[in-house]
Amino acid sequence: MGESPVPFVLPPDALRGVGSRPFGVYVHVPFCATRCGYCDFNTYTAGELGSAASPESWLDGLRRELDLAAQLLGAAPPADTVFVGGGTPSLLGADGLGHVLDAVRSSFGLAPGAEVTTESNPESTSPEFFAGLREAGYTRVSLGMQSTARHVLTVLDRVHTPGRPTRAVAEARDAGFEHVNLDLIYGTPGERTSDLRASVEAVLDAGVDHVSAYALIVEEGTALARRVRRGELPPPDDDVLAEDYELIDSMLSAAGLRWYEVSNWAASEAARCRHNLGYWLGGDWWGAGPGAHSHVGGVRWWNVKHPARYSSVLAQGHLPVAGQERLTGDDRKLERVMLELRLAEGLPLDALDGDGLRQAEQAVSDGLLDHAAAAEGRAVLTDRGRLLADAVVRRLVA
Ligand SMILES: C[S@@+](CC[C@H](N)C(=O)[O-])C[C@H]1O[C@@H](n2cnc3c(N)ncnc32)[C@H](O)[C@@H]1O
Ligand code: SF4
């Protein structure tokens, strides 16, 4: 396990203003039934954990962490948004996820109209599960669909059948969920344009109000990376990824889902994920659970990763913080450009320094930043700029 907790305090200037900025709570559920070969998230199967940790010991730890967190933040602000992610939160069942939300209620409390999301894997959901989530107070569900092509799901090691995610969406909507997201992955080796088109059509037929689409990343240390290294699978091709992105964007926009962040589309302003907007706009959030990251007033910290270590440190009455860093003014500027430039609203040009401004002018001439938005003082990616978002960021902060 190897990680030792570090003593943790938040300096008074980081605490100043807590409550006047939007405040989110992220809860990390570190359990999955099986591991998908492309995924390097902090998650464990029951076989990997053995008797060292369980959903029960994790929930005990979580309750303790949230109580300590609310004490540390002083006049703890109620959560404007809660996001339970993973891992596979749906493995906890509706009752378990109800206990998680109760723990947030009894520590921070929920602000009126709070957005409360849980991620779920299609195969561990049912009509009763969604009804239970509604009753517990969840307002939004995010389901990992990835693709409707069986051979793509096989390469990704997904265990659900191609039709299950859209049936799960129908069940969630029948249970009263207005806000439902589907995640797609594109660029999987062997995926044809017709496979991707069929996946996006299925997303649109399902009638969700939010879509996240991610280019497949071959993460070091994963089974997928080993297969690519052995030559069993080709790595994703940048030109194909760009064409895939254009196809997804054109199909979603034609159906009224507009991009509001490079990888995220929503049917209306109310359908945008407020929790993620909090991350992208530099808000405060407490990330609870093994390996979770937090940010309050320019201080960032992260928890020990292993669930057994997490629970044992909390059982001793300490926060399970493995490391922390204070962002310098330059770090915060860089971060702001990296995150806000990916938003459809873009970034105010006055957030850039002299070199950055000159680069922004050049990016407008190169067709990567929008001309009219720049004239109004904002750096907004064009359609072509979105395909090269990371490169544009690098230019503006070089
Ligand atoms: C980490 S999962 C957690 C939620 C849930 N277990 C699931 O699989 O949907 C959240 C999303 O991250 C995305 N993801 C994870 N690893 C990825 C990778 N290597 N490349 C692209 N997307 C990835 C997937 O789209 C997935 O739906
Ligand atoms: S992609 Fe989701 S289900 Fe698959 S291992 Fe990662 S967290 Fe678990």
Side-chain angles (χ1 to χ4, degrees):
M1 281 172 229
E3 285 172 298
S4 299
V6 296
F8 184 65
V9 276
L10 270 175
D13 63 313
L15 286 169
R16 211 169 301 129
V18 168
S20 63
R21 301 179 286 262
F23 178 68
V25 174
Y26 172 76
V27 173
H28 189 71
V29 181
F31 309 112
C32 284
T34 56
R35 177 174 290 270
C36 309
Y38 61 90
C39 178
D40 78 341
F41 278 60
N42 187 40
T43 185
Y44 305 80
T45 62
E48 284 166 350
L49 287 176
S51 58
S54 65
E56 291 72 29
S57 61
W58 167 82
L59 186 59
D60 279 348
L62 180 74
R63 289 187 174 116
R64 289 173 204 263
E65 181 180 1
L66 290 172
D67 286 343
L68 288 170
Q71 282 168 30
L72 186 93
L73 292 189
D80 297 302
T81 63
V82 179
F83 194 104
V84 184
T88 305
S90 44
L91 278 185
L92 301 176
D95 285 351
L97 286 166
H99 294 321
V100 168
L101 193 51
D102 285 342
V104 177
R105 279 199 187 92
S106 69
S107 50
F108 290 108
L110 293 180
E115 174 194 271
V116 184
T117 305
T118 182
E119 291 185 327
S120 292
N121 281 32
E123 68 280 4
S124 46
T125 61
S126 64
E128 297 72 33
F129 170 78
F130 291 116
L133 285 188
R134 283 298 293 169
E135 207 167 304
Y138 285 81
T139 65
R140 192 170 176 273
V141 183
S142 172
L143 290 151
M145 170 170 172
Q146 323 310 354
S147 171
T148 47
R150 197 179 287 277
H151 68 101
V152 172
L153 294 173
T154 304
V155 171
L156 294 175
D157 294 328
R158 296 296 293 199
V159 295
H160 60 256
T161 54
R164 179 60 207 149
T166 50
R167 280 201 304 281
V169 172
E171 292 165 7
R173 296 183 69 90
D174 285 349
F177 279 101
E178 189 190 343
H179 301 306
V180 183
N181 169 66
L182 281 171
D183 281 348
L184 282 176
I185 286 183
Y186 58 96
T188 301
E191 182 178 59
R192 297 168 297 230
T193 306
S194 55
D195 296 324
L196 180 59
R197 192 183 294 280
S199 296
V200 182
E201 274 164 5
V203 166
L204 293 175
D205 288 347
V208 289
D209 69 348
H210 192 286
V211 179
S212 303
Y214 304 112
L216 179 67
I217 299 173
V218 179
E219 302 283 3
E220 267 319 303
T222 59
L224 176 67
R226 288 191 287 280
R227 294 183 71 187
V228 169
R229 201 168 323 109
R230 287 197 297 263
E232 271 172 52
L233 293 171
D237 176 292
D238 282 344
D239 292 337
V240 174
L241 290 176
E243 284 166 21
D244 286 352
Y245 182 87
E246 285 177 320
L247 176 67
I248 293 168
D249 185 52
S250 69
M251 289 179 74
L252 295 181
S253 345
L257 286 141
R258 297 166 66 88
W259 77 284
Y260 70 102
E261 194 272 348
V262 170
S263 303
N264 289 276
W265 289 259
S268 65
E269 181 118 11
R272 295 176 174 195
C273 178
R274 275 160 48 199
H275 185 81
N276 286 341
L277 281 165
Y279 296 152
W280 300 326
L281 291 168
D284 292 332
W285 74 90
W286 192 287
H293 286 234
S294 303
H295 170 261
V296 171
V299 178
R300 235 181 349 211
W301 67 96
W302 49 94
N303 283 349
V304 297
K305 288 179 89 170
H306 199 279
R309 186 88 185 114
Y310 171 77
S311 300
S312 73
V313 173
L314 280 156
Q316 290 157 28
H318 305 297
L319 278 169
V321 176
Q324 70 182 98
E325 66 189 358
R326 177 111 212 205
L327 299 177
T328 63
D330 282 351
D331 294 337
R332 290 178 88 163
K333 271 193 203 152
L334 174 70
E335 200 132 289
R336 182 164 180 209
V337 177
M338 278 167 51
L339 297 170
E340 287 188 32
L341 192 69
R342 292 174 61 88
L343 297 174
E345 271 78 28
L347 169 85
L349 282 170
D350 60 18
L352 298 171
D353 60 18
D355 281 344
L357 275 176
R358 276 186 289 281
Q359 287 295 334
E361 273 170 34
Q362 186 58 48
V364 171
S365 312
D366 296 344
L368 299 169
L369 290 179
D370 185 76
H371 193 274
E376 288 171 7
R378 297 195 75 81
V380 173
L381 292 168
T382 59
D383 290 351
R384 202 168 90 77
R386 267 191 284 159
L387 297 173
L388 299 167
D390 293 341
V392 181
V393 168
R394 280 196 296 277
R395 277 169 66 167
L396 299 195
V397 298

